[in-house]
Coordinates of all heavy atoms in Angstrom, one line a residue:
F459 N -32.6 -11.2 10.6 CA -32.7 -10.8 9.2 C -32.4 -9.3 9.1 O -33.1 -8.5 9.7 CB -34.1 -11.0 8.5 CG -34.3 -12.4 8.1 CD1 -35.6 -12.7 7.6 CD2 -33.4 -13.4 8.0 CE1 -35.9 -14.0 7.1 CE2 -33.7 -14.7 7.6 CZ -34.9 -15.0 7.1
N460 N -31.3 -8.9 8.5 CA -30.9 -7.5 8.4 C -30.9 -6.8 9.8 O -31.4 -5.7 9.9 CB -31.8 -6.7 7.5 CG -31.6 -7.1 6.0 OD1 -30.6 -7.7 5.7 ND2 -32.5 -6.9 5.2
G461 N -30.4 -7.5 10.8 CA -30.2 -6.9 12.1 C -31.5 -6.9 13.0 O -31.5 -6.3 14.0
K462 N -32.6 -7.5 12.5 CA -33.8 -7.5 13.2 C -34.3 -8.9 13.4 O -34.0 -9.8 12.5 CB -34.9 -6.7 12.5 CG -34.6 -5.2 12.3 CD -34.8 -4.5 13.6 CE -34.6 -3.0 13.4 NZ -34.7 -2.2 14.7
V463 N -35.0 -9.2 14.4 CA -35.6 -10.5 14.6 C -37.2 -10.4 14.5 O -37.7 -9.3 14.8 CB -35.3 -11.2 16.0 CG1 -33.8 -11.3 16.1 CG2 -35.8 -10.3 17.1
G464 N -37.8 -11.4 14.1 CA -39.3 -11.4 14.0 C -39.9 -11.2 15.4 O -39.3 -11.7 16.4
P465 N -40.9 -10.4 15.5 CA -41.7 -9.7 14.5 C -41.2 -8.3 14.0 O -42.0 -7.6 13.4 CB -43.1 -9.7 15.1 CG -42.8 -9.4 16.5 CD -41.5 -10.2 16.8
A466 N -40.0 -7.9 14.4 CA -39.6 -6.6 14.1 C -39.0 -6.5 12.7 O -38.7 -5.4 12.2 CB -38.5 -6.1 15.1
T467 N -38.8 -7.6 12.0 CA -38.4 -7.6 10.6 C -39.4 -6.9 9.7 O -40.6 -6.9 10.0 CB -38.1 -9.0 10.1 OG1 -39.3 -9.8 10.3 CG2 -36.9 -9.6 10.8
T468 N -38.9 -6.2 8.7 CA -39.8 -5.5 7.7 C -40.2 -6.4 6.6 O -39.3 -6.9 5.9 CB -39.1 -4.2 7.2 OG1 -38.9 -3.3 8.4 CG2 -40.0 -3.5 6.3
P469 N -41.5 -6.6 6.3 CA -41.9 -7.5 5.2 C -41.4 -6.9 3.9 O -41.2 -5.7 3.7 CB -43.4 -7.4 5.3 CG -43.7 -7.1 6.7 CD -42.6 -6.2 7.2
L470 N -41.3 -7.8 2.9 CA -41.0 -7.4 1.5 C -42.3 -7.2 0.8 O -43.1 -8.2 0.7 CB -40.2 -8.5 0.8 CG -39.0 -9.1 1.6 CD1 -38.2 -10.1 0.8 CD2 -38.1 -8.0 2.1
I471 N -42.5 -6.0 0.3 CA -43.8 -5.7 -0.3 C -43.7 -5.7 -1.8 O -42.8 -5.0 -2.4 CB -44.2 -4.2 0.1 CG1 -44.2 -4.1 1.6 CG2 -45.6 -3.9 -0.5 CD1 -45.2 -5.0 2.3
V472 N -44.5 -6.5 -2.5 CA -44.5 -6.7 -3.9 C -45.9 -6.6 -4.5 O -46.9 -7.0 -3.8 CB -43.8 -8.0 -4.4 CG1 -42.4 -8.0 -3.8 CG2 -44.6 -9.2 -4.0
R473 N -46.0 -6.2 -5.7 CA -47.3 -6.1 -6.4 C -47.5 -7.5 -7.1 O -46.6 -8.1 -7.6 CB -47.2 -5.0 -7.5 CG -48.6 -4.6 -8.0 CD -48.4 -3.7 -9.2 NE -47.6 -2.6 -8.9 CZ -48.1 -1.4 -8.6 NH1 -49.4 -1.2 -8.4 NH2 -47.3 -0.4 -8.3
H474 N -48.7 -7.9 -7.0 CA -49.2 -9.2 -7.6 C -48.7 -9.2 -9.1 O -49.0 -8.3 -9.9 CB -50.7 -9.3 -7.5 CG -51.2 -10.6 -8.1 ND1 -52.4 -10.7 -8.8 CD2 -50.7 -11.9 -8.0 CE1 -52.6 -12.0 -9.2 NE2 -51.6 -12.7 -8.7
G475 N -48.0 -10.3 -9.5 CA -47.6 -10.5 -10.8 C -46.2 -10.0 -11.1 O -45.6 -10.3 -12.2
E476 N -45.5 -9.3 -10.2 CA -44.1 -8.9 -10.4 C -43.2 -10.1 -10.3 O -43.4 -11.0 -9.5 CB -43.8 -7.8 -9.4 CG -44.4 -6.5 -9.6 CD -44.0 -5.4 -8.6 OE1 -43.7 -5.7 -7.5 OE2 -43.8 -4.3 -9.0
R477 N -42.1 -9.9 -11.0 CA -41.0 -10.9 -10.8 C -40.0 -10.3 -9.8 O -39.7 -9.2 -9.8 CB -40.2 -11.1 -12.1 CG -39.1 -12.2 -12.0 CD -38.5 -12.6 -13.3 NE -37.4 -13.6 -13.1 CZ -37.6 -14.9 -13.1 NH1 -38.9 -15.3 -13.4 NH2 -36.7 -15.7 -13.0
V478 N -39.6 -11.2 -8.8 CA -38.9 -10.7 -7.6 C -37.6 -11.5 -7.5 O -37.5 -12.7 -7.8 CB -39.8 -11.0 -6.4 CG1 -39.0 -10.5 -5.1 CG2 -41.1 -10.3 -6.5
R479 N -36.6 -10.7 -7.1 CA -35.3 -11.3 -6.8 C -35.0 -11.1 -5.3 O -35.3 -10.0 -4.8 CB -34.1 -10.8 -7.6 CG -32.8 -11.3 -7.2 CD -31.6 -10.7 -7.9 NE -31.7 -10.9 -9.3 CZ -31.8 -9.9 -10.2 NH1 -31.8 -8.6 -9.8 NH2 -31.9 -10.1 -11.5
I480 N -34.6 -12.1 -4.5 CA -34.2 -11.9 -3.1 C -32.8 -12.5 -3.0 O -32.5 -13.6 -3.3 CB -35.1 -12.7 -2.2 CG1 -36.6 -12.3 -2.3 CG2 -34.7 -12.5 -0.7 CD1 -37.6 -13.0 -1.4
R481 N -31.9 -11.6 -2.6 CA -30.5 -12.0 -2.4 C -30.3 -12.3 -0.9 O -30.6 -11.5 0.0 CB -29.6 -10.8 -2.8 CG -29.8 -10.3 -4.2 CD -29.0 -9.0 -4.4 NE -29.3 -8.3 -5.7 CZ -28.6 -8.4 -6.8 NH1 -27.4 -9.0 -6.7 NH2 -28.9 -7.8 -7.9
L482 N -29.7 -13.4 -0.6 CA -29.6 -13.9 0.7 C -28.1 -14.1 1.0 O -27.3 -14.7 0.2 CB -30.3 -15.3 0.9 CG -31.8 -15.2 0.7 CD1 -32.3 -16.7 0.5 CD2 -32.5 -14.6 1.9
I483 N -27.6 -13.5 2.1 CA -26.2 -13.6 2.5 C -26.1 -14.1 3.9 O -26.8 -13.6 4.8 CB -25.5 -12.2 2.4 CG1 -25.5 -11.7 1.0 CG2 -24.1 -12.2 2.9 CD1 -25.0 -10.2 0.8
N484 N -25.2 -15.1 4.1 CA -25.1 -15.7 5.5 C -23.6 -15.6 6.0 O -22.7 -16.0 5.3 CB -25.4 -17.2 5.4 CG -25.3 -17.9 6.7 OD1 -25.2 -17.3 7.8 ND2 -25.2 -19.2 6.7
L485 N -23.5 -14.9 7.2 CA -22.2 -14.9 7.9 C -22.4 -15.2 9.3 O -22.8 -14.3 10.1 CB -21.5 -13.6 7.7 CG -20.0 -13.6 8.2 CD1 -19.2 -14.5 7.3 CD2 -19.4 -12.2 8.2
G486 N -22.2 -16.5 9.7 CA -22.4 -16.8 11.1 C -21.8 -18.2 11.3 O -20.8 -18.6 10.6
M487 N -22.3 -19.0 12.2 CA -21.8 -20.3 12.5 C -22.7 -21.4 12.0 O -22.3 -22.6 12.1 CB -21.5 -20.5 14.0 CG -20.4 -19.7 14.5 SD -18.8 -20.3 13.9 CE -18.7 -21.9 14.7
D488 N -23.9 -21.1 11.6 CA -24.9 -22.1 11.1 C -25.2 -21.9 9.7 O -25.3 -20.8 9.2 CB -26.2 -22.0 12.0 CG -26.0 -22.5 13.4 OD1 -25.2 -23.5 13.6 OD2 -26.6 -21.9 14.3
H489 N -25.5 -23.0 9.0 CA -26.2 -22.9 7.7 C -27.7 -22.7 7.9 O -28.2 -23.1 8.9 CB -26.0 -24.2 6.9 CG -24.5 -24.6 6.7 ND1 -23.5 -23.7 6.5 CD2 -23.9 -25.8 6.8 CE1 -22.4 -24.3 6.4 NE2 -22.6 -25.6 6.6
H490 N -28.3 -22.1 6.9 CA -29.7 -21.7 7.1 C -30.5 -22.1 5.8 O -30.3 -21.6 4.7 CB -29.9 -20.2 7.3 CG -29.2 -19.7 8.5 ND1 -29.7 -20.0 9.8 CD2 -28.2 -18.9 8.7 CE1 -28.9 -19.4 10.7 NE2 -27.9 -18.8 10.0
P491 N -31.5 -23.1 6.0 CA -32.4 -23.5 4.9 C -33.6 -22.5 4.9 O -34.5 -22.5 5.7 CB -32.9 -24.9 5.3 CG -32.8 -24.9 6.8 CD -31.6 -24.0 7.2
I492 N -33.5 -21.5 3.9 CA -34.5 -20.5 3.8 C -35.7 -20.9 3.0 O -35.5 -21.3 1.8 CB -33.9 -19.2 3.3 CG1 -32.7 -18.8 4.1 CG2 -34.9 -18.1 3.2 CD1 -33.0 -18.4 5.6
H493 N -36.8 -20.9 3.6 CA -38.1 -21.4 2.9 C -39.0 -20.3 2.7 O -39.3 -19.4 3.5 CB -38.7 -22.4 3.9 CG -40.0 -23.0 3.4 ND1 -40.2 -23.6 2.2 CD2 -41.2 -23.0 4.0 CE1 -41.5 -24.0 2.1 NE2 -42.1 -23.6 3.1
L494 N -39.6 -20.3 1.5 CA -40.7 -19.4 1.1 C -42.0 -20.1 0.9 O -42.1 -21.1 0.2 CB -40.3 -18.7 -0.2 CG -41.4 -17.7 -0.8 CD1 -41.6 -16.6 0.1 CD2 -40.9 -17.2 -2.2
H495 N -43.0 -19.6 1.6 CA -44.4 -20.1 1.5 C -45.0 -19.7 0.2 O -44.8 -18.5 -0.3 CB -45.2 -19.7 2.7 CG -44.9 -20.3 4.0 ND1 -45.8 -20.5 5.0 CD2 -43.7 -20.8 4.5 CE1 -45.2 -21.1 6.0 NE2 -43.9 -21.2 5.7
G496 N -45.9 -20.5 -0.4 CA -46.8 -20.1 -1.5 C -46.2 -19.9 -2.8 O -47.0 -19.7 -3.8
H497 N -44.9 -20.1 -3.0 CA -44.3 -19.9 -4.3 C -43.1 -20.9 -4.5 O -42.4 -21.3 -3.6 CB -43.8 -18.5 -4.5 CG -44.8 -17.5 -4.5 ND1 -45.4 -17.0 -3.4 CD2 -45.4 -16.9 -5.6 CE1 -46.3 -16.1 -3.7 NE2 -46.4 -16.0 -5.0
Q498 N -43.0 -21.3 -5.8 CA -41.7 -22.0 -6.2 C -40.8 -20.9 -6.7 O -41.2 -19.9 -7.3 CB -42.0 -23.0 -7.3 CG -43.0 -24.1 -6.9 CD -42.3 -25.1 -6.0 OE1 -41.1 -25.3 -6.0 NE2 -43.1 -25.8 -5.1
F499 N -39.5 -21.1 -6.5 CA -38.5 -20.2 -7.0 C -37.4 -21.0 -7.7 O -37.3 -22.2 -7.6 CB -38.0 -19.3 -5.9 CG -37.3 -20.0 -4.8 CD1 -36.2 -20.7 -4.8 CD2 -38.0 -19.9 -3.5 CE1 -35.6 -21.3 -3.8 CE2 -37.4 -20.5 -2.4 CZ -36.2 -21.2 -2.5
V500 N -36.5 -20.2 -8.3 CA -35.3 -20.8 -8.9 C -34.1 -20.1 -8.3 O -34.2 -18.9 -8.0 CB -35.2 -20.8 -10.5 CG1 -36.2 -21.7 -11.1 CG2 -35.4 -19.3 -10.9
T501 N -33.0 -20.8 -8.0 CA -31.8 -20.2 -7.5 C -30.9 -19.8 -8.7 O -30.5 -20.6 -9.5 CB -31.0 -21.2 -6.7 OG1 -31.8 -21.6 -5.6 CG2 -29.7 -20.5 -6.1
T502 N -30.7 -18.5 -8.9 CA -30.1 -17.9 -10.1 C -28.7 -17.4 -9.9 O -28.0 -17.1 -10.9 CB -30.9 -16.8 -10.6 OG1 -31.0 -15.7 -9.6 CG2 -32.3 -17.2 -11.0
G503 N -28.2 -17.4 -8.6 CA -26.9 -16.9 -8.4 C -26.3 -17.3 -7.1 O -27.0 -17.7 -6.2
T504 N -25.0 -17.3 -7.0 CA -24.2 -17.6 -5.7 C -23.3 -16.5 -5.4 O -23.2 -15.4 -6.2 CB -23.5 -18.9 -5.9 OG1 -22.3 -18.7 -6.7 CG2 -24.3 -20.0 -6.4
E505 N -22.4 -16.7 -4.4 CA -21.4 -15.7 -4.1 C -20.3 -15.6 -5.2 O -19.4 -14.8 -5.1 CB -20.7 -16.0 -2.8 CG -19.8 -17.2 -2.7 CD -20.6 -18.5 -2.6 OE1 -21.9 -18.4 -2.5 OE2 -20.0 -19.5 -2.7
G506 N -20.5 -16.4 -6.3 CA -19.6 -16.4 -7.4 C -20.2 -15.7 -8.6 O -19.6 -15.6 -9.7
G507 N -21.4 -15.2 -8.5 CA -22.1 -14.5 -9.6 C -23.3 -15.3 -10.1 O -23.8 -16.2 -9.6
R508 N -23.7 -14.9 -11.3 CA -24.9 -15.4 -12.0 C -24.6 -16.9 -12.4 O -23.5 -17.2 -12.9 CB -25.3 -14.6 -13.2 CG -26.6 -14.9 -13.8 CD -27.8 -14.4 -13.1 NE -29.0 -14.4 -13.9 CZ -30.2 -14.0 -13.4 NH1 -30.3 -13.6 -12.2 NH2 -31.2 -14.0 -14.2
Q509 N -25.6 -17.7 -12.2 CA -25.5 -19.1 -12.6 C -26.1 -19.3 -14.0 O -27.0 -18.6 -14.4 CB -26.2 -20.1 -11.7 CG -25.5 -20.2 -10.3 CD -26.2 -21.2 -9.4 OE1 -25.8 -21.5 -8.3 NE2 -27.2 -21.9 -9.9
P510 N -25.5 -20.2 -14.8 CA -26.2 -20.5 -16.1 C -27.6 -21.0 -15.9 O -27.9 -21.7 -15.0 CB -25.3 -21.6 -16.7 CG -24.0 -21.5 -16.0 CD -24.3 -21.0 -14.6
E511 N -28.5 -20.5 -16.8 CA -29.9 -20.9 -16.7 C -30.1 -22.4 -16.7 O -31.1 -22.9 -16.2 CB -30.7 -20.2 -17.8 CG -32.2 -20.3 -17.6 CD -33.0 -19.4 -18.5 OE1 -32.4 -18.5 -19.2 OE2 -34.2 -19.6 -18.6
S512 N -29.2 -23.1 -17.4 CA -29.4 -24.5 -17.4 C -29.3 -25.2 -16.1 O -29.7 -26.4 -15.9 CB -28.3 -25.1 -18.4 OG -27.0 -24.8 -17.9
T513 N -28.7 -24.5 -15.1 CA -28.6 -25.1 -13.7 C -29.8 -24.7 -12.8 O -29.9 -25.2 -11.7 CB -27.3 -24.5 -13.0 OG1 -27.5 -23.1 -12.8 CG2 -26.1 -24.8 -13.9
W514 N -30.7 -23.9 -13.3 CA -31.8 -23.5 -12.5 C -32.8 -24.6 -12.3 O -33.1 -25.4 -13.3 CB -32.6 -22.3 -13.1 CG -31.7 -21.1 -13.2 CD1 -30.4 -20.9 -12.9 CD2 -32.2 -19.8 -13.8 NE1 -30.0 -19.6 -13.2 CE2 -31.0 -18.9 -13.8 CE3 -33.3 -19.4 -14.4 CZ2 -31.1 -17.7 -14.3 CZ3 -33.4 -18.1 -14.9 CH2 -32.3 -17.2 -14.8
G515 N -33.3 -24.8 -11.2 CA -34.4 -25.8 -11.0 C -35.4 -25.3 -9.9 O -35.0 -24.6 -9.0
P516 N -36.6 -25.8 -10.0 CA -37.6 -25.3 -9.1 C -37.4 -25.8 -7.7 O -36.9 -26.9 -7.4 CB -38.9 -25.8 -9.7 CG -38.5 -27.0 -10.4 CD -37.2 -26.7 -11.0
G517 N -37.7 -24.9 -6.7 CA -37.7 -25.3 -5.3 C -38.4 -24.3 -4.5 O -38.9 -23.3 -5.0
N518 N -38.5 -24.6 -3.2 CA -39.1 -23.6 -2.3 C -38.3 -23.4 -1.0 O -38.6 -22.6 -0.1 CB -40.5 -23.9 -1.9 CG -40.7 -25.4 -1.4 OD1 -40.0 -25.8 -0.4 ND2 -41.4 -26.2 -2.2
T519 N -37.1 -24.1 -0.9 CA -36.2 -24.0 0.2 C -34.8 -24.0 -0.4 O -34.4 -24.8 -1.2 CB -36.3 -25.1 1.2 OG1 -37.7 -25.2 1.7 CG2 -35.4 -24.9 2.4
V520 N -34.0 -23.0 0.0 CA -32.6 -22.9 -0.4 C -31.7 -22.9 0.8 O -31.9 -22.2 1.7 CB -32.3 -21.7 -1.3 CG1 -32.7 -20.4 -0.6 CG2 -30.9 -21.7 -1.9
L521 N -30.6 -23.8 0.8 CA -29.7 -23.8 1.8 C -28.6 -22.7 1.6 O -27.9 -22.8 0.6 CB -29.0 -25.2 1.9 CG -28.0 -25.4 3.1 CD1 -28.8 -25.2 4.5 CD2 -27.3 -26.7 3.0
V522 N -28.5 -21.7 2.5 CA -27.5 -20.7 2.4 C -26.4 -21.0 3.5 O -26.6 -20.9 4.7 CB -28.1 -19.3 2.7 CG1 -27.1 -18.2 2.4 CG2 -29.4 -19.1 1.9
G523 N -25.3 -21.6 3.0 CA -24.3 -22.0 3.9 C -23.5 -20.8 4.4 O -23.6 -19.7 4.0
V524 N -22.7 -21.1 5.5 CA -21.8 -20.1 6.0 C -20.9 -19.5 5.0 O -20.3 -20.3 4.2 CB -21.0 -20.7 7.2 CG1 -20.0 -19.7 7.7 CG2 -21.9 -21.1 8.3
A525 N -20.8 -18.2 4.9 CA -20.0 -17.4 4.0 C -20.4 -17.6 2.6 O -19.7 -17.4 1.6 CB -18.5 -17.9 4.1
Q526 N -21.7 -17.9 2.4 CA -22.3 -18.0 1.0 C -23.4 -17.0 0.8 O -24.0 -16.4 1.7 CB -22.9 -19.4 0.8 CG -21.9 -20.5 0.8 CD -22.5 -21.9 0.5 OE1 -23.7 -22.1 0.7 NE2 -21.7 -22.8 0.0
S527 N -23.7 -16.7 -0.5 CA -24.9 -15.9 -0.9 C -25.6 -16.7 -1.9 O -25.0 -17.5 -2.6 CB -24.5 -14.6 -1.4 OG -23.9 -14.7 -2.7
R528 N -26.9 -16.5 -1.9 CA -27.8 -17.2 -2.9 C -28.8 -16.2 -3.3 O -29.5 -15.5 -2.5 CB -28.5 -18.4 -2.3 CG -27.6 -19.6 -1.9 CD -27.0 -20.3 -3.2 NE -26.2 -21.4 -2.9 CZ -24.9 -21.4 -2.7 NH1 -24.2 -20.2 -2.8 NH2 -24.2 -22.4 -2.5
D529 N -29.0 -16.1 -4.7 CA -30.0 -15.3 -5.3 C -31.2 -16.2 -5.7 O -30.9 -17.2 -6.4 CB -29.5 -14.5 -6.5 CG -28.4 -13.6 -6.2 OD1 -28.2 -13.3 -5.0 OD2 -27.8 -13.0 -7.1
I530 N -32.4 -15.9 -5.3 CA -33.6 -16.6 -5.7 C -34.5 -15.7 -6.5 O -34.5 -14.5 -6.2 CB -34.3 -17.3 -4.6 CG1 -34.9 -16.3 -3.6 CG2 -33.4 -18.3 -3.9 CD1 -35.8 -16.9 -2.5
E531 N -35.2 -16.2 -7.5 CA -36.1 -15.4 -8.3 C -37.4 -16.2 -8.5 O -37.4 -17.4 -8.6 CB -35.5 -15.0 -9.6 CG -34.3 -14.1 -9.5 CD -33.7 -13.8 -10.8 OE1 -34.4 -13.9 -11.9 OE2 -32.5 -13.4 -10.9
F532 N -38.5 -15.4 -8.5 CA -39.8 -16.0 -8.7 C -40.8 -15.0 -9.2 O -40.6 -13.8 -9.0 CB -40.4 -16.7 -7.4 CG -40.6 -15.7 -6.3 CD1 -41.8 -15.2 -6.0 CD2 -39.5 -15.4 -5.5 CE1 -42.0 -14.3 -5.0 CE2 -39.7 -14.5 -4.4 CZ -40.9 -13.9 -4.1
V533 N -41.9 -15.4 -9.7 CA -43.0 -14.5 -10.1 C -44.0 -14.6 -9.0 O -44.5 -15.7 -8.6 CB -43.7 -15.0 -11.4 CG1 -44.9 -14.1 -11.7 CG2 -42.6 -14.9 -12.6
A534 N -44.4 -13.4 -8.4 CA -45.3 -13.3 -7.3 C -46.7 -13.5 -7.9 O -47.5 -12.5 -8.0 CB -45.1 -12.0 -6.6
K535 N -47.1 -14.7 -8.2 CA -48.4 -14.9 -8.8 C -49.5 -15.4 -7.8 O -50.6 -15.6 -8.2 CB -48.2 -16.0 -9.9 CG -47.7 -17.3 -9.4 CD -47.5 -18.2 -10.6 CE -46.9 -19.6 -10.2 NZ -46.7 -20.5 -11.3
N536 N -49.1 -15.6 -6.6 CA -50.1 -16.1 -5.6 C -50.3 -15.1 -4.5 O -49.5 -14.9 -3.6 CB -49.5 -17.4 -5.0 CG -50.5 -18.2 -4.3 OD1 -51.7 -17.9 -4.3 ND2 -50.1 -19.3 -3.7
P537 N -51.4 -14.4 -4.5 CA -51.7 -13.3 -3.6 C -51.7 -13.8 -2.2 O -52.2 -14.9 -1.9 CB -53.0 -12.7 -4.0 CG -53.2 -13.2 -5.4 CD -52.6 -14.5 -5.5
G538 N -51.3 -12.9 -1.2 CA -51.3 -13.2 0.2 C -50.1 -12.8 0.9 O -49.2 -12.2 0.4
D539 N -50.1 -13.0 2.2 CA -49.0 -12.7 3.1 C -48.2 -14.0 3.4 O -48.7 -14.8 4.2 CB -49.5 -12.1 4.4 CG -50.3 -10.8 4.1 OD1 -49.9 -10.0 3.2 OD2 -51.3 -10.6 4.8
W540 N -47.1 -14.2 2.8 CA -46.4 -15.5 2.8 C -45.1 -15.4 3.6 O -44.3 -14.5 3.5 CB -46.0 -15.9 1.3 CG -47.2 -16.0 0.5 CD1 -47.5 -15.1 -0.5 CD2 -48.2 -17.0 0.5 NE1 -48.7 -15.6 -1.2 CE2 -49.1 -16.7 -0.5 CE3 -48.4 -18.2 1.2 CZ2 -50.2 -17.5 -0.8 CZ3 -49.4 -19.0 1.0 CH2 -50.3 -18.7 0.0

Side-chain angles (χ1 to χ4, degrees):
F459 277 174
N460 290 343
K462 299 286 187 181
V463 300
T467 51
T468 298
L470 312 184
I471 307 298
V472 302
R473 195 192 304 267
H474 182 221
E476 289 184 321
R477 185 175 179 87
V478 180
R479 177 186 300 122
I480 302 177
R481 305 170 188 257
L482 302 161
I483 297 173
N484 177 20
L485 188 66
M487 288 293 294
D488 288 324
H489 305 318
H490 299 291
I492 303 299
H493 173 58
L494 174 63
H495 291 208
H497 294 81
Q498 298 287 334
F499 56 69
V500 292
T501 300
T502 60
T504 72
E505 70 282 354
R508 188 76 164 180
Q509 293 187 177
E511 189 170 350
S512 60
T513 67
W514 300 359
N518 50 60
T519 304
V520 59
L521 183 64
V522 188
V524 173
Q526 292 183 337
S527 73
R528 292 291 182 268
D529 296 349
I530 63 173
E531 295 180 18
F532 62 96
V533 176
K535 60 184 179 181
N536 198 1
D539 302 322
W540 302 107

